[in-house]
C-alpha cells in the first residue's frame, strides 16, 4: 500500500489486485477477523488493534509488521 502511494505521487499509473476489498487481520477468533478498508493508515490499524487487545497485538509479530510497513523502524 505504501509503495503504491509513493509511485502514484511520482506520476506512475498504479493498479492493485487483491482477493477482496478489505484488509483482514487476525483476531483471537479465526471466524471474525479485524477488517479495515483498503487505504486505512497502518498507524490507525495498529492503534485500533493495540486498544482492542494490547497483550495479543503488542507482543505479537504483527506490531513489528506495522512498524516496518509504516517506515518507523528503529535501528
Amino acid at each position: 500500500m505504501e509503495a503504491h502511494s509513493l509511485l502514484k505521487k511520482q506520476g506512475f499509473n498504479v493498479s492493485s489486485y487483491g482477493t477482496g476489498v478489505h484488509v483482514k487481520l487476525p483476531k483471537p477468533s479465526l471466524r471474525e477477523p479485524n477488517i479495515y478498508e483498503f487505504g486505512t493508515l497502518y498507524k490507525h490499524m495498529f492503534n485500533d488493534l493495540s486498544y482492542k487487545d494490547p497483550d495479543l497485538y503488542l507482543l505479537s509479530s504483527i506490531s513489528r509488521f506495522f512498524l516496518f510497513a509504516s517506515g518507523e523502524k528503529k535501528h
Side-chain angles (χ1 to χ4, degrees):
M1 290 170 43
E2 198 64 30
H4 288 183
S5 176
L6 180 64
L7 290 169
K8 277 189 163 190
K9 287 178 186 174
Q10 297 297 320
F12 289 92
N13 183 14
V14 179
S15 297
S16 180
Y17 302 94
T19 59
V21 295
H22 298 98
V23 175
K24 295 180 183 177
L25 298 173
K27 204 175 186 178
S29 165
L30 294 175
R31 294 181 183 170
E32 299 175 24
N34 290 290
I35 300 174
Y36 300 95
E37 296 288 328
F38 277 122
T40 302
L41 297 175
Y42 288 132
K43 185 174 185 173
H44 172 77
M45 289 186 234
F46 177 76
N47 289 340
D48 185 50
L49 294 173
S50 299
Y51 175 77
K52 288 178 179 177
D53 192 339
D55 291 334
L56 176 64
Y57 296 110
L58 291 177
L59 299 176
S60 72
S61 60
I62 200 158
S63 65
R64 290 190 296 275
F65 164 77
F66 283 117
L67 291 173
F68 175 79
S70 66
E72 298 173 13
K73 291 188 288 185
K74 298 203 185 318
H75 298 284

